[in-house]
């Protein structure tokens, strides 16, 4: 029963994130394609005229952070057979990072440093977390292989983005490194519900 509850929470949290981002992007002050290609996810959460639904995007950040924390501590920890302390630490780093991103928006010189710190905690921490999960479970089967692949893709995208922050394509790399964690949450939800 605990597995199904955690699975449902993972599914709802990840779907809410994707839907909230899509709706926020639809109402952003640019075409939908340009919003996804040339504007960062964080731009959707800045409270200004460009993003009238900033509150929706920020709620998605906060919810996915809470989802990850709840799902991992409530049930998913039972599948971690080694590196459990590191698993807990990176779950907290990632979850708190995403919540910080939702509470402290970018675009403000006084708080942008905290926002950036939260983003690094969430993106880098999240992809390290899912690589760690893949290598800390009992068996290395399909679920673990998919998890490892997502983590590696996310880390590579983050690494390229880190050295190309001024690139016009930086938002694409950002989304790629973020979506690995969101997709992992969705896949994990399905994995847990099916148990």
């Amino acid at each position: 029963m605990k597995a199904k509850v955690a699975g449902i929470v993972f599914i709802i949290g990840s779907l809410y994130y994707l839907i909230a981002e899509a709706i926020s992007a639809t109402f952003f002050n640019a075409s939908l394609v340009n919003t996804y290609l040339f504007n960062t996810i964080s731009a959707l959460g800045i409270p200004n005229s460009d993003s009238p639904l900033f509150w929706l995007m920020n709620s998605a950040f906060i919810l996915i952070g809470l989802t990850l924390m709840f799902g991992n501590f409530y049930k998913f920890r039972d599948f971690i057979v080694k590196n459990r302390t590191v698993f807990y630490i990176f779950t907290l780093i990632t979850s708190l990072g995403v919540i910080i991103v939702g509470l402290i928006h970018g675009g403000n010189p006084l708080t942008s440093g905290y926002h950036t710190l939260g983003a690094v905690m969430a993106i880098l921490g999240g992809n390290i977390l899912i690589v760690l999960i893949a290598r800390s479970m009992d068996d290395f089967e399909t679920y673990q292989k998919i998890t490892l692949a997502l983590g590696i893709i996310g880390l590579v995208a983050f690494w390229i983005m880190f050295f190309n922050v001024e690139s016009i394509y930086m938002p694409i790399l950002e989304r790629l490194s973020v979506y690995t964690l969101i997709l992992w949450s969705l896949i994990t939800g399905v994995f847990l519900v099916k148990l």
Side-chain angles (χ1 to χ4, degrees):
M1 184 63 185
K2 284 179 73 173
K4 285 186 170 41
V5 170
I8 290 167
V9 169
F10 270 120
I11 291 169
I12 291 172
S14 53
L15 289 179
Y16 180 88
Y17 180 93
L18 292 171
I19 293 167
E21 184 187 357
I23 294 171
S24 299
T26 300
F27 287 91
F28 193 76
N29 188 23
S31 72
L32 187 61
V33 172
N34 283 348
T35 298
Y36 273 95
L37 292 180
F38 304 119
N39 291 277
T40 63
I41 303 172
S42 293
L44 299 177
I46 298 174
N48 60 27
S49 58
D50 286 335
S51 187
L53 297 183
F54 66 91
W55 54 269
L56 181 62
M57 191 67 246
N58 288 326
S59 73
F61 291 135
I62 294 167
L63 184 62
I64 199 67
L66 295 173
T67 294
L68 183 63
M69 196 179 302
F70 173 81
N72 278 1
F73 284 125
Y74 180 69
K75 179 59 186 176
F76 196 78
R77 63 181 181 173
D78 296 345
F79 298 96
I80 305 300
V81 297
K82 55 186 176 181
N83 308 313
R84 191 170 277 197
T85 301
V86 184
F87 164 77
Y88 290 143
I89 290 169
F90 272 94
T91 294
L92 283 173
I93 288 171
T94 305
S95 301
L96 293 175
V98 187
I99 291 169
I100 288 169
V101 167
L103 293 176
I104 304 174
H105 60 80
N108 182 339
L110 297 176
T111 59
S112 63
Y114 298 107
H115 179 85
T116 301
L117 174 63
V120 172
M121 288 168 65
I123 301 171
L124 181 59
N127 284 293
I128 291 173
L129 173 65
I130 57 180
V131 168
L132 177 73
I133 286 170
R135 304 306 299 156
S136 301
M137 295 177 72
D138 195 20
D139 299 310
F140 193 64
E141 297 178 354
T142 304
Y143 169 80
Q144 290 88 334
K145 290 174 182 175
I146 292 170
T147 297
L148 181 61
L150 287 171
I152 291 171
I153 290 167
L155 287 173
V156 170
F158 178 85
W159 185 258
I160 296 170
M161 177 188 72
F162 186 79
F163 289 103
N164 293 277
V165 175
E166 300 301 321
S167 169
I168 192 172
Y169 301 110
M170 181 271 199
I172 297 171
L173 294 165
E174 178 208 33
R175 280 186 167 80
L176 185 57
S177 60
V178 168
Y179 289 165
T180 51
L181 183 62
I182 305 303
L183 186 55
W184 175 81
S185 297
L186 183 59
I187 291 169
T188 298
V190 174
F191 169 76
L192 291 172
V193 167
K194 285 185 172 181
L195 291 177

